Amino acid sequence: MKRAMQIGAVLATLTAATAVSAAEHEVLILPDAYFPSVVYLDEGDTVKFTNLTGSEHNIISKHESWALGPIADQGSMTMVVEQGVQTTFYDANAISEEDGSFLVEGNLSFADAPLD
């Protein structure tokens, strides 16, 4: 019985440590940019996109493998990031009239954040 309680305590500690290790990152959707434009994260972290543009926005990944939106002005949407997710994302509402390319781009990175 005592051993089962010890094992349960260890499992509870490991579970709590795993839950605490996930971080939440925030990306601000601005009229002509994302801030930050690159988010350094680990698998299982969440990214919260907050719209500060004055109008509704849709965020899509390269090749449209994932999408968030519409996100209302002053609204937010959150996603959990798993390894293998498409890491380049765009503002679906900001498209060049000249060539159809996206004008606003951001990136998720699983690399270590650079030190300043």
Side-chain angles (χ1 to χ4, degrees):
M1 178 73 168
K2 185 176 181 181
R3 182 169 170 85
M5 289 175 53
Q6 289 174 332
I7 292 172
V10 169
L11 290 174
T13 301
L14 290 174
T15 302
T18 302
V20 171
S21 65
E24 181 175 281
H25 306 272
E26 185 168 26
V27 175
L28 302 178
I29 304 168
L30 305 174
D32 296 319
Y34 293 114
F35 183 80
S37 60
V38 179
V39 179
Y40 295 92
L41 43 70
D42 293 314
E43 182 177 6
D45 285 0
T46 59
V47 179
K48 177 180 172 183
F49 290 85
T50 301
N51 182 1
L52 303 176
T53 65
S55 62
E56 192 174 85
H57 280 268
N58 293 283
I59 309 303
I60 60 171
S61 69
K62 188 174 186 177
H63 308 297
E64 299 182 31
S65 60
W66 59 265
L68 291 175
I71 304 172
D73 179 42
Q74 304 302 311
S76 297
M77 289 190 130
T78 302
M79 65 180 275
V80 176
V81 180
E82 300 297 334
Q83 194 76 313
V85 70
Q86 177 50 248
T87 57
T88 303
F89 57 90
Y90 306 99
D91 183 339
N93 303 81
I95 300 174
S96 169
E97 291 180 17
E98 293 176 14
D99 64 5
S101 64
F102 293 102
L103 300 173
V104 181
E105 178 181 312
N107 288 282
L108 306 174
S109 177
F110 291 102
D112 290 335
L115 299 175
D116 291 332

